[in-house]
Amino acid sequence: MIASINPASGEELVTFDAYDADRLDAMLTAAAVAQGNWRWTEVSERTDLLTALADTLRSRKPELAALITSEMGKPLTESVAEIEKCAITCEYYASRAEGFLAAETVTPDSRVEFEPLGVVLAVMPWNYPFWQFFRFAVPALAAGNGAILKHANSVPRCALAIEAVLRDAGMPAGLIGVVLVETEQVAGLIEDDRIAAVTFTGSTEVGSVIAAQAGRALKKQVLELGGSDPFIVLADADLDAAARTAVTARFLNAGQSCVNAKRFIVEESVADDFVSRFGAAVDRLVLGDPVDGATTIGPLARANLRDTLHAQVRRTVGAGATLVRGGDVVDRPGFYYQPTVLDHVLPGMAAFDEETFGPVAAITRVRDADEAIQLANQTEFGLAASLWTRPERARELTRRLDAGAVFVNAMVASDPRLPFGGIKRSGYGRELGVHGMREFMNTKTVWSAEPAPRLVIRPDEVEVFDRGSGVRTVPYVGAWNCGPNRVTTGTTVFAVGTEIPLHSHNVEESVLVFSGQATAVIDGERVDLQAGDATWVPAGVPHQFINRGDGELTIYWVYGGREVTRTMTATGVTVAHLSAGDRGAVAASGK
């Protein structure tokens, strides 16, 4: 039985039966079929859906926010912000998806393409019931994937509301299936051949189980797990800004976030001042009913979360830490816990070593920056860190922090433009940004031995002009497989009876005869050319051009692909280059 419980009162709101095997099978089949069609849609069709999703989320923001608050307990103002962040993310990928999905040319013959993996199983947590799903789903949809959402069983109504939003925004039927299942049913979903990959956000302990199950099935995973993020305050920091931000960084969402700051590591010389400012800001928090606009901190999401947190506080104080604020369960209906501040917390204590998922701040005092970095890294987690110091000093210190992200003089936050994820036991893989989108894509190398470039111009269609140096040149007009900024062009002028020595280039060369008659010797084969004729020379092939007529010979050439190097096997011709900004030119003089 899956139950929705109001954390502010402890009242059971509604219960649901878990989906049976037949229903799950039908949903998996529908997702596989829908994704098989979706992957071939134009990117513009996918981005239109994202735009519609943003509009649908905003049009229903009040009701969706109220649903979040009633089911997991965060203040209503935070729930409204969560829905808005989902909408912003939809709009960001709608504007960037085409560029993120474009193939990357590596050489004239090769490119890298990005293709969707298929249907991704998303096992999502309760603490940000809409945002956690949309930050995965939006880039995954833009990439051409489908999904099965297994949401946390404490937020089933949010899961079904997500399903309704997707449907009403115009998503193809079945492309994202929302399933209500018990924990023991997840393994079967992971093993199913219709699931191509798995993404999980939640505890490290459960993440280890998910990783093992997906690993046995040889399926790609992205794991965003626990964190014990340090908030480092050095003596040269702006203490007032640091203390004010620290309170938000710790107590947002009642401290129930993997990237909430949890360990406040403060340089000893300013620690008393920081604790005083921090405690005063904590005193201004308003604990109460999350639907009340004045409330800034609501209940924890479940009774067992509150009880676990209280036990961690008791063990930490028992080990010698100082209780500065709070430290007890609130005597009222619901799952409330007092905003708590612990000082003189040391390694080995529960609040330092363990992830504290609730409104508890642990303050650790250090001698200097070196000890601060050492203790910040002294954790099994590595999700993110916040560093408060002078900007010019921060550059060196950020390199020494073991974390997936470091925010300097700011609190840690996820951003649709930036990759998000951790190291060590905080998981692996990334969400968001182009890096997150490509986690669930096949990075495919394509090698295509296309014919070498041939020019498609005629002499009378190209303006030939004198650059003032006696060398006649033409502007670049185009060749196959050549990026516009990686092409060298120019003309070579031969007097009667002269020839360019046998030589080779590391790139392809296209040649057009402007005037006169030439003999091209390419890899030992002689080819007679006259005005209007074009030929090409593959990279690395020895060749030469000979004026075989009675008048001046002028040829136009294009080197394509990368910087040109020459291997001359004879001398007697002077080769001169203009700058790359002038598109390049070459002149040759005979013996």
Side-chain angles (χ1 to χ4, degrees):
M1 187 69 67
I2 296 170
S4 175
I5 297 174
N6 186 340
S9 65
E11 175 193 3
E12 183 176 277
L13 302 173
V14 65
T15 60
F16 300 89
D17 291 327
Y19 293 179
D20 61 21
D22 289 341
R23 186 169 184 180
L24 291 178
D25 182 70
M27 296 182 74
L28 285 163
T29 296
V33 171
Q35 191 276 329
N37 295 324
W38 182 248
R39 67 172 295 158
W40 301 115
T41 57
E42 297 292 336
V43 176
S44 60
E45 183 175 341
R46 302 179 203 167
T47 57
D48 285 346
L49 173 60
L50 299 185
T51 300
L53 275 172
D55 293 342
T56 304
L57 286 165
R58 287 203 176 98
S59 69
R60 300 184 184 178
K61 189 185 298 183
E63 66 183 88
L64 297 176
L67 179 59
I68 293 172
T69 294
S70 70
E71 199 158 52
M72 66 75 51
K74 71 178 59 180
L76 190 59
T77 53
E78 293 183 16
S79 298
V80 169
E82 180 175 339
I83 297 299
E84 178 61 22
K85 189 170 185 177
C86 294
I88 290 171
T89 300
C90 291
E91 291 172 334
Y92 175 75
Y93 285 95
S95 66
R96 298 299 180 95
E98 185 172 0
F100 287 169
L101 297 173
E104 296 177 357
T105 299
V106 180
T107 73
D109 296 316
S110 65
R111 63 188 182 277
V112 178
E113 297 181 349
F114 304 97
E115 299 176 347
L117 287 183
V119 178
V120 182
L121 174 62
V123 183
M124 293 287 103
W126 47 265
N127 56 341
Y128 287 89
F130 272 73
W131 167 241
Q132 297 279 13
F133 168 74
F134 275 90
R135 80 180 187 190
F136 147 73
V138 173
L141 283 170
N145 291 298
I148 294 292
L149 167 62
K150 188 282 179 203
H151 222 319
N153 284 352
S154 60
V155 289
R157 292 186 302 141
C158 285
L160 296 175
I162 288 171
E163 185 177 48
V165 167
L166 297 172
R167 180 184 62 246
D168 294 346
M171 178 169 294
L175 184 58
I176 292 184
V178 177
V179 301
L180 301 182
V181 298
E182 300 289 1
T183 301
E184 56 267 23
Q185 294 174 275
V186 173
L189 292 172
I190 293 173
E191 293 169 2
D192 194 284
D193 290 340
R194 289 162 291 189
I195 294 296
V198 181
T199 181
F200 170 76
T201 298
S203 71
T204 298
E205 292 72 25
V206 177
S208 297
V209 175
I210 295 284
Q213 292 169 343
R216 283 194 296 269
L218 294 179
K219 294 181 180 180
K220 174 70 181 288
Q221 316 135 46
V222 170
L223 303 178
E224 196 270 279
L225 308 178
S228 186
D229 288 4
F231 189 105
I232 303 167
V233 182
L234 300 183
D236 57 358
D238 181 335
L239 287 187
D240 187 56
R244 282 186 287 103
T245 304
V247 172
T248 302
R250 184 63 196 107
F251 296 103
L252 184 71
N253 203 28
Q256 302 170 109
S257 171
C258 52
V259 290
N260 276 130
K262 298 181 176 72
R263 296 177 298 139
F264 295 83
I265 300 173
V266 186
E267 200 163 353
E268 182 66 54
S269 62
V270 296
D272 287 342
D273 194 359
F274 175 82
V275 171
S276 176
R277 293 170 189 259
F278 184 75
V282 170
D283 289 341
R284 291 192 288 272
L285 293 173
V286 178
L287 185 146
D289 190 333
V291 300
D292 187 335
T295 295
T296 56
I297 184 167
L300 274 71
R302 300 194 307 270
N304 65 323
L305 295 169
R306 178 199 59 195
D307 297 342
T308 296
L309 186 70
H310 185 52
Q312 289 174 312
V313 170
R314 292 293 91 199
R315 285 189 286 127
T316 302
V317 173
T322 302
L323 181 62
V324 178
R325 297 285 194 286
D328 208 348
V329 174
V330 179
D331 184 16
R332 60 178 292 172
F335 313 133
Y336 291 88
Y337 196 81
Q338 294 175 344
T340 298
V341 181
L342 301 170
D343 197 2
H344 302 286
V345 176
L346 301 174
M349 297 181 180
F352 188 95
D353 293 350
E354 303 170 12
E355 180 178 26
T356 51
F357 217 67
V360 174
I363 298 173
T364 298
R365 299 172 180 235
V366 294
R367 295 184 304 275
D368 52 26
D370 288 337
E371 188 181 14
I373 298 296
Q374 175 195 341
L375 292 187
N377 292 337
Q378 191 172 315
T379 174
E380 64 181 2
F381 301 108
L383 189 55
S386 180
L387 173 65
W388 291 75
T389 186
R390 288 177 290 107
E392 58 271 21
R393 188 185 185 191
R395 182 177 297 274
E396 184 268 333
L397 295 176
T398 57
R399 289 196 292 265
R400 296 167 57 189
L401 284 166
D402 299 336
V406 179
F407 282 59
V408 177
N409 295 329
M411 62 177 278
V412 174
S414 56
D415 185 312
R417 299 168 296 183
L418 298 172
F420 181 86
I423 59 174
K424 300 195 286 189
R425 289 180 63 81
S426 288
Y428 45 76
R430 292 295 181 265
E431 296 179 297
L432 300 175
V434 65
H435 302 85
M437 175 181 280
R438 291 178 180 172
E439 287 283 3
F440 295 114
M441 302 195 78
N442 173 26
T443 302
K444 178 186 284 186
T445 294
V446 178
W447 183 279
S448 180
E450 301 288 348
R454 289 184 64 93
L455 297 175
V456 291
I457 61 170
R458 307 293 293 180
D460 56 1
E461 297 171 354
V462 179
E463 177 186 1
V464 181
F465 60 97
D466 192 323
R467 304 185 84 84
S469 61
V471 179
R472 293 181 294 174
T473 63
V474 296
Y476 166 64
V477 293
W480 299 343
N481 303 332
C482 298
N485 297 319
R486 297 190 301 149
V487 176
T488 308
T489 68
T491 57
T492 306
V493 182
F494 298 86
V496 175
T498 62
E499 62 184 60
I500 191 168
L502 190 68
H503 64 291
S504 65
H505 308 299
N506 63 322
V507 296
E508 299 167 323
E509 178 183 15
S510 294
V511 175
L512 173 70
V513 177
F514 274 144
S515 64
Q517 296 177 312
T519 294
V521 183
I522 303 173
D523 203 17
E525 181 181 351
R526 298 175 67 89
V527 180
D528 289 334
L529 306 169
Q530 58 185 359
D533 289 339
T535 188
W536 59 271
V537 182
V541 172
H543 60 282
Q544 67 181 136
F545 291 95
I546 303 168
N547 184 348
R548 64 180 176 86
D550 297 329
E552 186 180 74
L553 166 67
T554 304
I555 64 172
Y556 169 60
W557 47 263
V558 175
Y559 297 137
R562 56 185 182 272
E563 183 180 358
V564 179
T565 59
R566 287 183 181 74
T567 303
M568 290 295 213
T569 57
T571 58
V573 172
T574 301
V575 178
H577 281 283
L578 299 177
S579 70
D582 291 330
R583 298 286 192 185
V586 64
S589 60
K591 305 172 185 175

